[in-house]
Amino acid sequence: MFRTAPDSSATSPPTAGDRTALRICPLCEATCGLTLTIEGTRVTRARGDRDDVFSEGFICPKGASFGELDADPDRLRTPLVRENGRLREASWEEAFGLVASRIRPLVEEHGPNAVGVVLGNPNVHTMAGGLYPPVLLSTLRTRNIFSASTLDQMPKHVSSGLLYGSAVAIPVPDLDRTGHLLLLGANPLESNGSLCTAPDFPGKLKALRRRGGTLTVVDPRRTRTARLADRHVAIRPGTDALLLAALVQVLFEERLTDLGALAEHVEQLGEVEAVTRDFTPEAVAAACDMDAEEIRTIARELAAAPSAAVYGRIGSCTVEHGTLASWLVDVLNILTGNLDRPGGALFPLSATDKAPRPAAPGKGFALGRWSSRVGGHPEAKGELPIAALAEEIETPGDGRIRALLVIAANPVLSAPDGDRLDRALSDLDFMVSIDPYLNETSRHADVVLPPPPPSQSAHFDFAFNALAVRNQVRYTPAAVPLEPGLMDECEIHARLLLAVGGMHGAEPSAVDDMVIQGSLAKAVADPHSPVHGQDPAQLAAELTGSSGAERRLDMMLRLGPYELTLAKLLENPHGIDLGPLQPRIPQVLRTRSGRIELLPAPIAADLPRLRSALDGRPEGLVLVGRRHLRSNNSWLHNVPALGGGSNRCTLHVHPDDAARLGLTDGATVAITADGGRVEAPVEITDDIRPGVVSLPHGWGHDRPGTRLSVAAARPGVNVNQLLDGSRLDPLSGTAVLNGFPVELTLIR
Ligand SMILES: Nc1nc2c(c(=O)[nH]1)N[C@H]1C(S)=C(S)[C@@H](COP(=O)(O)OP(=O)(O)OC[C@H]3O[C@@H](n4cnc5c(=O)[nH]c(N)nc54)[C@H](O)[C@@H]3O)O[C@H]1N2
Ligand SMILES: Nc1nc2c(c(=O)[nH]1)N[C@H]1C(S)=C(S)[C@@H](COP(=O)(O)OP(=O)(O)OC[C@H]3O[C@@H](n4cnc5c(=O)[nH]c(N)nc54)[C@H](O)[C@@H]3O)O[C@H]1N2
Ligand code: SF4
Ligand SMILES: [Mo]
């Protein structure tokens, strides 16, 4: 990783006619500030912005390939509409007209649930995705809402909802100040971090060790992150919740708990002690395939550290006990007094959060307020499991999904059983995709609405500022003017909303005006708001900004905790540092008791399932995923600069397993599991523990009707075809993507 930008193959040295512009990178959660060199309207180079208050010049190969991604010739530049079964180019007017004429009658005849919505990962990386989907969902009033969250962090939302009363109150490890980091199921040296926004995560881990701190990594693979660690534990996949429960048990047994200032804010400590009593290190050791004494040591190190943070990510979430593991991560931070204290895990306060209000009991967090129609899966945070999307389209009856709006998502590759979903999508009455690519999912759409390349969009991180290791705020306007014929993604979202909401043809600014009026009316009535009692019309008139989205951002900043405005952000193009994370308990708590409810009932009810896993000693192979620094889920395989090398869709196999099965490096194997069968080349490596194989996700670009010429030339296979969607973490509806059984057969 680099402090200054490497010259990627797409870049060229600056010349006299060049100019530069700043752009926050939208490609991962690290949110690095980039300096783009622009020739005419083309981005010829991307470097790390050394003056960025947060990223201080850091960049990775993905950010460095910004220009190549931006100029990808396969990117769609006009809307597409389906006519006689084929997609053809169309005007924006025609595209939105078609949406309006097809969606409204379906809703009128079959009710709001006839329209499903799928929200994909890039929505948290665009302004449009932050501002408009909530309004779209409240306009549609459908219960058929699905997102990448149930392939990802929903377990954390559920555990936060239950513990703190707010699903979005997610504590973030204080990387810059912690003395000890216990990291489970995360590989930030490839992913650049997740639910922990930290440009230069690798540098921060190295700094932790330089200042005498320690790093323990729990991962069945010896990842690049694990190589940095003082201690690497190659756990058996899917058993983190058992390990974490044993750590809790040791803290209680050896009287190592010390809640410090938290004590007065925590309920049900004794209850947690009681329910974890039988998860001794000796009881979990065999299932985790760990040494009981090592488990005790990890617990003692955690308790002894001057400050410590336990942090779990994908490998602890997308597993059978994902919610329990997410809960136990926080329980450990609480029991050691590290939650909400510097050096531990704290709640960020972002510039667009509501201004803090005095601590008070809240409404709490309800789970399972309704269930999915076919599978009876409980909702979580208003969403249904994306693994259940296909059955909701296929199964006849009242409430069947007949039309689908897919916004920045590629579930045919990202979610379990893409073949089934592929067939289901082709049975829809109507489908809309907002997507720059014609890919495995959008190829089924009747209308494709392409957003402009990232250089032509403004950027603000609504999601990630609230997950950042330091409070800070940055805004970058579009670096290049919108190309004629393209439409800003905010306007696409606004027009889509008007089209499906029966207001087709209204000005898109009407959507923003409606939101601004509604929010200001609420704010002036709220005694804790900085604008309490003021005139909403006057406040609206004071807002600045050259678009509805900018005016909304300005409003959120003004209503936020730091007395900021859009104008102040524009005056500080490299961002404004708002200081290190600060303790926020009890103010952040929204539980009914106003305290941290340490043993919520749904968690207690799921513990017997964990207890039964104590006897689990799977004999066969299990599969886990992996990420590569130069990849990003399912959609960066079309950028030539990022392909090749070690970024390939191979199956990692331990030498012992390879020998037992007669596999040689480069051999082709068939991998079979519940959901199907795929073939992949074998890569033998002792970086993976015996009994575990690893295949990355986001590959399988071999379906007809897409326009991904580079990706299609090296398609790889879709790991999610191995899943049939039935393996879920029951509390969160999150798909089990890691630690499921597979069988290998040598093909050649
Ligand atoms: N087996 C396995 N499966 C996994 C995972 C795993 O670890 N293992 N990880 C899961 C995780 S964590 C996630 S988040 C999901 C992600 O899965 P998805 O949410 O489906 O996201 P992507 O695969 O990133 O696809 C994003 C889509 O958005 C489009 N897009 C890109 N930029 C923009 C933009 O600016 N605007 C719009 N409108 N569209 C854009 C892309 O072309 C692509 O079609 O995958 C999950 N799937
Ligand atoms: N380069 C790149 N960066 C990305 C992405 C990408 O696709 N590519 N995707 C982005 C997205 S959407 C997300 S959500 C984040 C995810 O960011 P991370 O959570 O850091 O995800 P991974 O790099 O997949 O690391 C997960 C690790 O969990 C391990 N693991 C698997 N099963 C288990 C288990 O049962 N227990 C334990 N302890 N470990 C296990 C895997 O071996 C793997 O090393 O990354 C983001 N950043
Ligand atoms: S680390 Fe993430 S945000 Fe930073 S340059 Fe790389 S892809 Fe972009
Ligand atoms: Mo994700």
Side-chain angles (χ1 to χ4, degrees):
M1 214 86 46
F2 331 94
R3 271 273 148 199
T4 52
D7 279 348
S8 91
S9 59
T11 63
S12 51
T15 61
D18 293 354
R19 64 182 179 91
T20 61
L22 301 175
R23 187 6 163 141
I24 300 164
C25 180
L27 299 178
C28 89
E29 301 184 30
T31 72
C32 302
L34 305 181
T35 305
L36 306 179
T37 304
I38 296 160
E39 218 172 294
T41 56
R42 215 168 73 84
V43 177
T44 54
R45 190 172 187 212
R47 286 168 298 146
D49 171 16
R50 284 166 203 259
D51 299 321
D52 186 287
V53 295
F54 192 36
S55 62
E56 299 176 334
F58 183 79
I59 188 171
C60 84
K62 273 187 295 189
S65 75
F66 187 100
E68 199 173 320
L69 171 70
D70 207 60
D72 186 345
D74 281 342
R75 219 170 238 287
L76 301 174
R77 290 196 140 71
T78 56
L80 303 177
V81 299
R82 191 170 298 277
E83 188 174 60
N84 303 323
R86 295 176 65 97
L87 285 170
R88 63 157 172 85
E89 295 188 350
S91 68
W92 291 100
E93 208 176 77
E94 186 182 6
F96 287 112
L98 189 58
V99 175
S101 70
R102 296 294 301 280
I103 296 275
R104 288 312 300 166
L106 284 173
V107 175
E108 273 149 31
E109 190 180 342
H110 302 287
N113 293 337
V115 182
V117 179
V118 181
L119 298 171
N121 171 274
N123 284 303
V124 282
H125 295 278
T126 64
M127 278 185 87
L131 291 173
Y132 297 89
V135 200
L136 176 73
L137 298 179
S138 65
T139 305
L140 283 171
R141 291 186 302 107
T142 174
R143 284 187 171 172
N144 282 315
I145 301 168
F146 307 84
S147 88
S149 297
T150 50
L151 302 167
D152 188 347
Q153 82 291 358
M154 191 60 93
K156 198 75 214 173
H157 288 307
V158 171
S159 77
S160 280
L162 295 170
L163 281 167
Y164 314 121
S166 163
V168 294
I170 295 179
V172 170
D174 192 1
L175 286 188
D176 292 326
R177 293 182 290 181
T178 194
H180 178 69
L181 183 64
L182 170 55
L183 181 153
L184 305 105
N187 186 10
L189 264 77
E190 306 281 358
S191 70
N192 286 308
S194 183
L195 298 190
C196 176
T197 282
D200 198 10
F201 209 124
K204 288 183 189 298
L205 292 183
K206 288 174 195 153
L208 160 71
R209 300 213 38 209
R210 268 201 308 276
R211 66 176 178 265
T214 43
L215 171 66
T216 295
V217 171
V218 180
D219 196 307
R221 301 187 307 121
R222 186 167 63 235
T223 60
R224 288 174 57 216
T225 308
R227 284 175 199 277
L228 274 187
D230 299 87
R231 178 190 298 280
H232 170 219
V233 179
I235 195 171
R236 176 177 283 141
T239 62
D240 295 64
L242 290 173
L243 165 64
L244 293 162
L247 297 176
V248 169
Q249 192 275 336
V250 176
L251 292 183
F252 279 117
E253 184 197 307
E254 301 191 1
R255 306 252 164 269
L256 297 173
T257 63
D258 178 5
L259 278 71
L262 274 181
E264 60 174 302
H265 303 296
V266 178
E267 287 191 346
Q268 300 168 325
L269 204 59
E271 284 86 335
V272 170
E273 177 172 12
V275 297
T276 51
R277 201 161 279 147
D278 45 349
F279 292 95
T280 60
E282 291 69 24
V284 307
C288 299
D289 198 12
M290 286 179 68
D291 182 45
E293 204 42 44
E294 187 172 32
I295 298 176
R296 288 188 189 278
T297 307
I298 294 172
R300 290 172 194 147
E301 284 173 354
L302 187 64
S307 66
V310 186
Y311 163 65
R313 220 27 215 90
I314 282 291
S316 70
C317 278
T318 54
V319 288
E320 276 182 54
H321 304 285
T323 301
L324 290 184
S326 296
W327 165 70
L328 286 161
V329 162
D330 284 22
V331 168
L332 283 168
N333 284 326
I334 292 165
L335 293 181
T336 51
N338 282 304
L339 185 80
D340 204 44
R341 87 166 174 204
L346 298 107
F347 301 95
L349 181 62
S350 97
T352 51
D353 277 336
K354 271 199 195 130
R357 54 207 47 235
K363 286 198 205 121
F365 173 78
L367 197 57
R369 292 163 294 175
W370 56 86
S371 299
S372 71
R373 180 182 64 104
V374 181
H377 301 292
E379 65 76 36
K381 201 169 166 272
E383 297 184 23
L384 300 173
I386 197 164
L389 173 59
E391 67 189 23
E392 293 296 333
I393 299 173
E394 289 163 355
T395 314
D398 249 12
R400 178 171 89 83
I401 298 176
R402 292 161 193 270
L404 196 65
L405 311 179
V406 182
I407 306 181
N410 190 9
V412 170
L413 294 189
S414 314
D417 201 351
D419 287 348
R420 179 177 176 187
L421 188 57
D422 212 32
R423 288 189 299 273
L425 295 180
S426 62
D427 285 347
L428 284 165
D429 292 1
F430 192 67
M431 173 174 156
V432 181
S433 273
I434 304 185
D435 206 289
Y437 286 107
L438 195 58
N439 63 16
E440 297 75 16
T441 298
S442 61
R443 73 192 181 109
H444 290 289
D446 296 285
V447 174
V448 185
L449 303 166
S455 65
Q456 299 177 28
S457 306
H459 192 86
F460 186 88
D461 281 299
F462 291 103
F464 299 118
N465 288 344
L467 294 163
V469 296
R470 203 174 161 90
N471 291 320
Q472 45 73 43
V473 61
R474 294 161 296 153
Y475 173 64
T476 48
V480 172
L482 197 63
E483 196 177 304
L486 293 188
M487 185 179 280
D488 186 82
E489 189 165 359
C490 290
E491 184 175 339
I492 296 176
H493 278 240
R495 287 192 187 274
L496 175 68
L497 193 157
L498 293 168
V500 302
M503 295 165 278
H504 177 53
E507 278 302 309
S509 59
V511 175
D512 303 302
D513 291 341
M514 185 183 77
V515 173
I516 289 171
Q517 273 172 25
S519 309
L520 289 177
K522 256 200 212 142
V524 296
D526 175 356
H528 305 298
S529 161
V531 297
H532 176 61
Q534 297 186 30
D535 171 15
Q538 174 64 31
L539 291 169
E542 283 167 16
L543 298 178
T544 67
S546 59
S547 64
E550 278 195 346
R551 281 166 25 89
R552 284 174 64 186
L553 172 59
D554 191 28
M555 175 187 74
M556 291 164 83
L557 293 165
R558 287 167 192 255
L559 298 180
Y562 298 101
E563 297 180 11
L564 287 166
T565 59
L566 177 69
K568 279 192 199 152
L569 260 48
L570 291 168
E571 282 160 23
N572 293 277
H574 304 284
I576 302 173
D577 180 44
L578 300 168
L581 304 185
Q582 305 286 344
R584 292 190 60 205
I585 286 179
Q587 178 262 319
V588 76
L589 301 178
R590 285 290 167 271
T591 49
R592 285 177 189 272
S593 61
R595 299 170 26 119
I596 298 174
E597 297 171 0
L598 207 55
L599 185 63
I603 295 279
D606 198 27
L607 280 169
R609 200 171 58 89
L610 184 64
R611 208 161 276 123
S612 65
L614 282 171
D615 309 322
R617 312 264 195 291
E619 288 294 299
L621 290 172
V622 295
L623 186 142
V624 299
R626 68 176 189 269
R627 283 175 161 76
H628 192 285
L629 185 58
R630 286 183 289 117
S631 206
N632 192 24
N633 297 329
S634 75
W635 71 280
L636 279 193
H637 297 138
N638 212 50
V639 178
L642 298 176
S646 56
N647 186 11
R648 294 190 307 135
C649 186
T650 58
L651 185 75
H652 284 183
V653 182
H654 187 271
D656 293 354
D657 292 317
R660 186 170 47 83
L661 296 164
L663 309 178
T664 51
D665 204 60
T668 302
V669 281
I671 313 160
T672 39
D674 309 338
R677 176 183 184 279
V678 298
E679 291 180 13
V682 168
E683 195 177 334
I684 298 178
T685 166
D686 62 4
D687 284 343
I688 191 156
R689 55 161 281 157
V692 182
V693 293
S694 167
L695 193 66
H697 73 284
W699 297 87
H701 306 291
D702 54 358
R703 292 176 202 257
T706 64
R707 196 209 281 182
L708 297 163
S709 50
V710 178
R714 290 190 333 134
V717 294
N718 179 9
V719 64
N720 288 324
Q721 199 51 53
L722 295 170
L723 293 161
D724 65 6
S726 62
R727 289 174 190 270
L728 300 178
D729 165 40
L731 285 180
S732 67
T734 303
V736 175
L737 304 172
N738 281 291
F740 59 89
V742 294
E743 280 176 21
L744 304 186
T745 329
L746 178 65
I747 302 283
R748 56 184 174 273

